[in-house]
Amino acid sequence: MPANRPNPPNWGQLYEVAAGQGGYVTTQQAQEAGYSLPLLTHHVKQGRLQRARRGVYRLTHYPAGEHEDLIVLWLWSEQAGVFSHETALSLHHLSDALPAVYHLTLPAAWSRRRLRTPPGVRLYFADVKGADLTWAGGVPTTSPVRTLVDCATAAVLPEFIHAAYRQIQQRGLVAPDELRDRLSPLLESRPLYSRPHGSGDIRSSALRLPRSQHGQRRSMPRR
C-alpha cells in the first residue's frame, strides 16, 4: 500500500484556526493544516508568519488584539491552562490590581511534569472545571467566585479581595447563596480585613457575607 502522504498546505484552514485564537497557531495546529516545520520556517522568512515563542506562530497581517500575550501563554500550556488569581481579577474588571506577573493555573496532574516556566509567569496546579471555568478577553479564566476564593487562599492583598467582592455583589455576578457558601469556610478560618477605601481612618473593616434568606449570616456548623 502507498505510504500516507502529508496533507498539502491549506492556508484557509490555518487562517480559520488562527482566527479563533487571536491570530496565533501552534506548530501542531499548523502541521494539521499541512505546514511542516521547514515550510513554517520558509513563511517566517517570507514575512507571512512570525515566531511568537517556541511552538507558537502569529499570522503577520492578522489584526492586533488586546490580550495577545495571554493567548500565547495559553497556547504554550497546550490550551490546558486557565488564567486565575490576580490575572483573573483584571480580566473580570473586579479590582484595580495590576499584577506584575501572569497567574496561570494548570491541571493538577501537570505538577509532576518538568516545566520550563516562561518569564513573568506564576504557575498554580489545580483542576478548574464546570461553573468555575469561564472565558474573558478571549482566554479561559476562573469564574468570578472561583477567582475570589483563589485570591483569598493565596493571601492576595485584602484590599483587592474587598474590591472584587463589592464588584461581584454590585454587578450580580454570583447568586448571594453561592457567594456565601463558597466564602464561609475561608472566613471562618481566616477573616479578611482591609482599611476603608479612600479613608484616613486607621480602623479596618471585615469582609461581610451576604445574609441568608432568613436574614441571618450562615456560619459553618460546629463539630
Side-chain angles (χ1 to χ4, degrees), residues 66-86:
E66 183 179 2
H67 298 296
E68 293 192 19
D69 45 357
L70 299 183
I71 292 174
V72 172
L73 287 175
W74 178 55
L75 293 177
W76 166 82
S77 75
E78 301 175 16
Q79 298 167 281
V82 178
F83 291 98
S84 60
H85 298 78
E86 292 170 75

Side-chain angles (χ1 to χ4, degrees), residues 19 23 103 108 130 174:
H103 299 259
V174 181

Side-chain angles (χ1 to χ4, degrees), residues 33 38 52 65 92 169 192:
H92 289 302
Q169 282 193 307
L192 295 171

